[in-house]
Amino acid sequence: MRDSNRLQRLQQRPLWDFALALYAKPGVEQACLTLQDEAGVDVCELLFHCWLYEHGLAAEPGPLKAIREERCRWQQQVTAPLRQLRRGLKPQAAQSESISTLRKTLQTAEIQAERENLQCWQQWALLSSEQEVSVIKGSINQHNIAQWLQDTLFLLPLDNFSSQASRVREGIQSAFLALASQLDRCESPR
């Protein structure tokens, strides 16, 4: 069932503003980078789910699949190549001011690509209609937020990581817990 009061509150706090504020909290940047680099998590989608969670909402799995595929293509075709170029130039940027400037330009473009992606996620949530409800009232318990995020993002169960990769598995678990610890409890309905 659509919750128009909560959807109105989503409009009052744009996803981009939420993402910037959350990312600035202690441990969140490193948690997001760990989840991105070690577990293949789309950080924009992760931030989207955190935004919904803080408003007491969740995305419906069925409609989520289509937008996830669309946003994944954006990440693969636009954001990831910019990130790869920026990261690849890091050693050369230390030796050359002009390459350092180029790297900063690529970083600006990467951030703009992420902002565009977040705006698409937000628009999808706000267009939740009576015919196809995409966002519903969430029932996630604060104590289960790390596991809920993992399950929502359709990651492999952490047990599926090889025993040789226990450090990676522990890093991923710690990253989800660090992120979850910075989220505020769901707002109660007004």
Side-chain angles (χ1 to χ4, degrees), residues 40-112:
V41 168
D42 176 351
V43 172
C44 289
E45 182 180 354
L46 173 66
L47 294 169
F48 167 73
H49 291 294
C50 291
W51 179 63
L52 291 179
Y53 168 79
E54 283 212 351
H55 287 87
L57 298 167
E60 277 280 16
L64 178 63
K65 185 178 180 197
I67 187 70
R68 175 180 280 145
E69 289 171 2
E70 176 188 312
R71 297 293 83 221
C72 183
R73 279 191 302 278
W74 175 267
Q75 290 293 80
Q76 290 171 348
Q77 295 170 0
V78 180
T79 310
L82 291 168
R83 181 178 303 121
Q84 184 177 9
L85 286 169
R86 177 184 55 81
R87 286 180 173 179
L89 290 174
K90 188 174 183 175
Q92 296 168 337
Q95 306 297 321
S96 166
E97 191 174 316
S98 61
I99 293 178
S100 178
T101 301
L102 173 59
R103 191 167 181 271
K104 288 176 186 170
T105 301
L106 289 169
Q107 183 177 31
T108 299
E110 180 185 351
I111 291 168
Q112 184 59 37

Side-chain angles (χ1 to χ4, degrees), residues 16 24 34 57 74 91 103 115 128 155 161 166 169 176 183:
W16 176 252
T34 297
L57 298 167
W74 175 267
R103 191 167 181 271
R115 185 175 188 165
S128 183
L155 292 177
F161 282 90
S166 65
R169 181 177 55 245
F176 273 119
L183 294 173

